[in-house]
Amino acid sequence: MKQDIIFNIIELLGTFAFAISGIRHAAAKHYDWFGGYVCGIAVAIGGGTIRDVMLSTTPFWMTTPIYMVCTAVALLTVAFFGRWMEPLKNAWLFFDTLGLALFTIAGLQKSLAFGQPFWVAIIMGCITGSAGGVIRDVLLNNEPVIFRREIYAMACVLGGLVYWLTDWLGAPLELTVAASFLTTCIIRFLAIRYHISLPTLKEEEGRE
């Protein structure tokens, strides 16, 4: 029961955080309210939908309208309080990172609840956290963040590994969730602050 409550809270917070991120990206390109809502809902439910389809279960947002309502609240938040959020540089990055960490945990927990092994759960957590951002970037005609040099999906993987480790050590659920959340957020923030990235692929010169 306690795990279900924590899971629902995480999923709602992740939905709101990701919706804020998607809507702010849309606002930067001067989309109208409908366009902003579409971008918000795409990033908020995209990764979770792919996860649920792969787990052969009804996508989470089809079981209750709360996620649509949550995205609408995010849209109104940006529409009416955007001017106060604007001076906060990289505010979209803050919300995007929160959504990334929260949805990674949600993907992990749901996959484990469906009896998947931990290595599959970590992959599902990565998909849940990062796939929505890919859909958002495609809609906005941007290069997907996940394919850039910034550490994005790898933060999900490392957060998932910390979740597995703390769970294996027998830590309480609250501590496991907190450790995974902080790991994902800290790695993402540090990677951006200090320009930490993975090596890039380079094509051999002279090849046709």
Side-chain angles (χ1 to χ4, degrees):
M1 184 66 177
K2 179 175 67 174
Q3 184 170 352
D4 291 338
I5 294 174
I6 292 176
F7 175 78
N8 290 332
I9 292 174
I10 287 172
E11 206 159 50
L12 281 175
L13 288 175
T15 299
F16 183 77
F18 259 173
I20 287 280
S21 170
I23 294 165
R24 282 182 61 81
H25 276 78
K29 291 212 169 187
H30 306 291
Y31 280 28
D32 62 17
W33 281 36
F34 179 76
Y37 185 83
V38 170
C39 287
I41 199 67
V43 69
I45 71 172
T49 300
I50 295 173
R51 173 204 64 207
D52 289 346
V53 169
M54 294 178 72
L55 291 174
S56 299
T57 186
T58 302
F60 69 104
W61 58 270
M62 296 177 67
T63 61
T64 171
I66 188 63
Y67 301 102
M68 301 298 174
V69 174
C70 187
T71 303
V73 172
L75 175 66
L76 294 175
T77 300
V78 173
F80 291 108
F81 300 103
R83 67 178 65 181
W84 288 280
M85 298 170 67
E86 195 60 35
L88 302 175
K89 292 183 179 180
N90 294 326
W92 67 268
L93 174 64
F94 173 75
F95 286 107
D96 187 69
T97 301
L98 286 183
L100 183 71
L102 291 167
F103 267 24
T104 296
I105 296 169
L108 270 163
Q109 291 185 326
K110 189 162 189 176
S111 299
L112 292 172
F114 272 73
Q116 298 296 328
F118 244 111
W119 67 272
V120 173
I122 291 173
I123 294 173
M124 290 295 188
C126 183
I127 291 173
T128 307
S130 61
V134 175
I135 298 173
R136 173 202 64 205
D137 291 337
V138 169
L139 289 174
L140 292 170
N141 198 29
N142 293 332
E143 180 185 7
V145 174
I146 193 175
F147 300 140
R148 298 177 195 166
R149 295 182 63 191
E150 298 175 5
I151 290 180
Y152 192 80
M154 282 303 300
C156 302
V157 174
L158 294 174
L161 289 173
V162 169
Y163 190 106
W164 168 77
L165 179 61
T166 50
D167 180 79
W168 180 74
L169 292 173
L173 178 63
E174 295 84 351
L175 180 59
T176 300
V177 169
S180 179
F181 174 82
L182 290 174
T183 298
T184 305
C185 288
I186 290 172
I187 289 174
R188 176 76 174 135
F189 285 134
L190 288 178
I192 293 173
R193 174 65 179 82
Y194 296 103
H195 306 289
I196 302 171
S197 62
L198 297 174
T200 57
L201 293 171
K202 296 181 180 179
E203 187 179 11
E204 294 181 19
E205 294 183 4
R207 290 188 61 183
E208 296 182 358

